[in-house]
Amino acid sequence: MTDFALRRRMMVDTQVRPSDVTKFPIIEAMLTVEREAFLPDALRETAYSGENIVLNDRRVLLEPRTLAKMLDDLNISRDELVLDVGCAHGYSSAVVARMAEAVVAVEEDAEMVSEAQAALVQTGADNVIVHEGPLAEGAAEHGPYDVILIQGGVAQLPDAIADQLKDGGRIACLFMEGALGIVKIGYKTAGSLSWRFAFNASAPVLPGFEKEVAFAL
């Protein structure tokens, strides 16, 4: 029988802590949340690998290092409302739920929505709402949000997502240019976002987050 608890501790000790992630709430959440519970049976054995786990041709579960470093830079507090875009089977939302007051998890794949809801209930993440709808539209009816987290690559951030961030809020985006990506943290002040470089990572660009093509007449 696979010792997932041991693998979970090894993930934190070999992938998360060495990436300069030391905040206790992040370490505690990643040691506690059963990552394997948020993957289909065929992928459970890969749950604690140190790379993105491919879910389908456009979607991945971000590697632990990427998620942990995003959370470290966002510095979520217990009184904040978080929008988690592209939650897939719900792992990232379960992790964030242990740091925030509440999480709204957006997913457009109906099967993933169903599986995320079941896994979140099973693991006791009762402060997460799973919202089914296009990723690029977010969930405006539950916002505005103190923090927004995008679970995949971004070529262009949709205005609808940026508009759902409160003034004074933060957003983490993995901006992709070809195969290379840069995670940036955006800070909203007076309705405008200013961006700060955080670290390098990579992931497929999410549906709806592609660059708009300009047509010449």
Side-chain angles (χ1 to χ4, degrees), residues 29-93:
M30 298 191 83
L31 281 172
T32 304
V33 176
E34 299 171 352
R35 191 170 158 97
E36 71 277 7
F38 295 90
L39 284 169
D41 289 346
L43 294 174
R44 282 168 64 91
E45 286 295 325
T46 69
Y48 297 100
S49 64
E51 56 191 24
N52 293 337
I53 297 174
V54 177
L55 303 175
N56 59 41
D57 60 349
R58 295 288 300 277
R59 304 291 299 281
V60 299
L61 175 61
L62 291 177
E63 63 177 339
R65 168 190 173 273
T66 299
L67 177 61
K69 286 180 71 65
M70 281 181 167
L71 295 175
D72 192 61
D73 284 305
L74 288 169
N75 198 25
I76 297 166
S77 61
R78 292 295 304 175
D79 61 349
E80 292 187 311
L81 176 63
V82 179
L83 179 67
D84 188 27
V85 178
C87 72
H89 300 94
Y91 173 72
S92 55
S93 300

Side-chain angles (χ1 to χ4, degrees), residues 59-172:
R59 304 291 299 281
V60 299
L61 175 61
L62 291 177
E63 63 177 339
R65 168 190 173 273
T66 299
L67 177 61
K69 286 180 71 65
M70 281 181 167
L71 295 175
D72 192 61
D73 284 305
L74 288 169
N75 198 25
I76 297 166
S77 61
R78 292 295 304 175
D79 61 349
E80 292 187 311
L81 176 63
V82 179
L83 179 67
D84 188 27
V85 178
C87 72
H89 300 94
Y91 173 72
S92 55
S93 300
V95 171
V96 175
R98 299 186 68 88
M99 308 170 201
E101 181 174 0
V103 180
V104 177
V106 178
E107 182 48 60
E108 64 185 25
D109 182 293
E111 185 175 348
M112 286 183 178
V113 167
S114 177
E115 292 173 358
Q117 288 171 330
L120 288 162
V121 169
Q122 175 190 334
T123 55
D126 56 5
N127 58 337
V128 180
I129 297 171
V130 182
H131 173 92
E132 183 175 349
L135 303 184
E137 293 181 9
E141 60 266 47
H142 300 292
Y145 301 93
D146 299 289
V147 177
I148 299 177
L149 187 59
I150 313 292
Q151 300 294 330
V154 174
Q156 183 170 307
L157 181 65
D159 289 341
I161 299 292
D163 289 346
Q164 291 170 42
L165 186 65
K166 288 181 182 178
D167 251 20
R170 294 94 65 209
I171 181 171

